[in-house]
Amino acid sequence: MSTTVFRIGGDLEVRRLGFGAMRLPTDPGPDRENSLAVARRAVELGVTLIDTAHMYGWGANEELLAEALHPYPDGVHITTKVGIARSVPSGEWTQDARPDALREQVEQALRRLRVEHIGLLQLHRIDPRTPLADQIGALRDLRAEGKIGRIGLSEVTVGELAAAREITDIASVQNRYNLLDRTHEPVLAACEAAGIAFLPWATVAWGQSGATAEIAAVAAEAGATPTQVALAWLLGHSPVVLPIPGTSRIAHLEENLAAEGLRLTEAQRTRLDRLSGAGAGEGEGKNGEQGNQGERE
């Protein structure tokens, strides 16, 4: 039986099944009120790891979580990501991990989240125009100053992870990964070998799990939903996997978290393991998170 907790960086204890806040609407009105309720319900149900990013609404998602949850209950950790900026002329996003840009985004995150310290901060994308040593070095400096506690990466290769680890300790990796898309299996293997937390996004294959006959069949046998099967498979696949499924509906949130209690048989796991995992290529994940928009409604 897999444990339900993990210590990120060896000491930051979280429940392995977390919550991704990207899907939460932030504009004023009934949808925002619902978003606040979803975030609060997640914590009521025992979620201790909530994922957001500067890019999600350009800070609006961070502010939403602070409105919903601050002062944060003991043991609840909001992890955010920096390193993506919006172009003023076009409105499109691009990597920007220059040290000054990273420092500014961290300062903004501290203000928006209403905290003095972020337990886990992740680099949303490696900036190809800035030396890696400058990017990771800036985060290392922020950690030394006490503004962040642990450093993570997102959408990286095995080689990039290794290069970053030569500069400083890396506590987490957040890559696209699910039962139907295992492009980053080598990265997961590297994380498992090093005890690094692996936070998959697009955890339920953009809601397509139920369209796969084998997953649907296992779900029927187990008395569960295809989504729950996909999440239970992730939890049992590697002890370092910390899924962060996102949704904007309380019913789906409750369905997701119930997957923690689903125990797949060895025979069922074998059948699921045989699925090809042929999903989007690594290049798509490197370029954006458009697919994550359809995670769960």
Side-chain angles (χ1 to χ4, degrees):
M1 182 180 297
S2 62
T3 180
T4 59
V5 299
F6 185 86
R7 291 178 176 84
I8 301 175
D11 59 353
L12 186 70
E13 184 170 294
V14 297
R15 180 179 176 181
R16 284 181 62 202
L17 192 50
F19 174 67
M22 179 182 180
R23 294 290 300 155
L24 298 179
T26 58
D27 290 339
D31 286 347
R32 182 184 181 87
E33 293 304 312
N34 178 72
S35 294
L36 296 171
V38 170
R40 290 166 181 156
R41 182 59 176 155
V43 171
E44 288 174 359
L45 292 172
V47 168
T48 57
L49 178 64
I50 299 177
D51 176 80
T52 184
H54 172 82
M55 180 185 180
Y56 304 162
W58 306 112
N61 198 266
E62 294 170 335
E63 291 175 339
L64 175 82
L65 292 174
E67 180 180 343
L69 302 173
H70 189 272
Y72 304 106
D74 289 343
V76 172
H77 304 283
I78 312 295
T79 174
T80 192
K81 299 183 287 293
V82 295
I84 300 291
R86 180 169 51 178
S87 169
V88 175
S90 67
E92 296 182 354
W93 66 265
T94 186
Q95 293 101 325
D96 186 357
R98 295 169 298 154
D100 287 349
L102 293 177
R103 179 173 291 275
E104 175 61 24
Q105 287 191 12
V106 169
E107 294 289 356
Q108 292 175 10
L110 291 168
R111 174 176 55 80
R112 289 170 175 146
L113 291 172
R114 307 179 198 173
V115 295
E116 296 181 353
H117 175 87
I118 296 170
L120 174 64
L121 183 91
Q122 300 177 102
L123 181 62
H124 209 148
R125 294 291 186 275
I126 289 178
D127 181 356
R129 298 166 299 182
T130 302
L132 181 64
D134 291 351
Q135 301 175 59
I136 304 301
L139 299 181
R140 182 185 56 199
D141 291 346
L142 287 162
R143 184 179 60 194
E145 295 168 21
K147 295 186 176 181
I148 65 176
R150 297 151 199 84
I151 298 169
L153 304 173
S154 179
E155 285 305 299
V156 292
T157 65
V158 171
E160 289 168 338
L161 173 59
R165 292 183 67 208
E166 291 181 358
I167 301 169
T168 194
D169 294 337
I170 299 298
S172 70
V173 168
Q174 184 170 333
N175 278 20
R176 186 196 65 250
Y177 185 87
N178 56 63
L179 179 53
L180 299 178
D181 181 359
R182 305 180 208 173
T183 303
H184 292 297
E185 190 78 40
V187 182
L188 170 56
C191 288
E192 184 172 335
I196 294 171
F198 185 89
L199 284 62
W201 61 269
T203 52
V204 294
W206 304 293
Q208 296 303 307
S209 298
T212 302
E214 196 67 81
I215 299 176
V218 170
E221 294 169 8
T225 67
T227 291
Q228 290 171 333
V229 168
L231 292 171
W233 180 86
L234 281 171
L235 288 169
H237 186 57
S238 169
V240 304
V241 168
L242 281 62
I244 47 170
T247 181
S248 60
R249 298 183 184 179
I250 287 179
H252 286 163
L253 170 70
E254 294 174 345
E255 175 190 346
N256 292 345
L257 294 178
E260 192 175 70
L262 177 60
R263 298 291 178 255
L264 300 173
T265 67
E266 287 302 316
Q268 289 168 339
R269 284 199 164 276
T270 298
R271 288 157 58 191
L272 296 172
D273 287 344
R274 291 194 188 112
L275 295 177
S276 68
E282 185 171 352
E284 180 175 330
K286 295 284 286 183
N287 292 331
E289 293 188 355
Q290 296 93 329
N292 203 20
Q293 295 286 347
E295 176 83 301
R296 288 296 303 281
E297 278 292 349

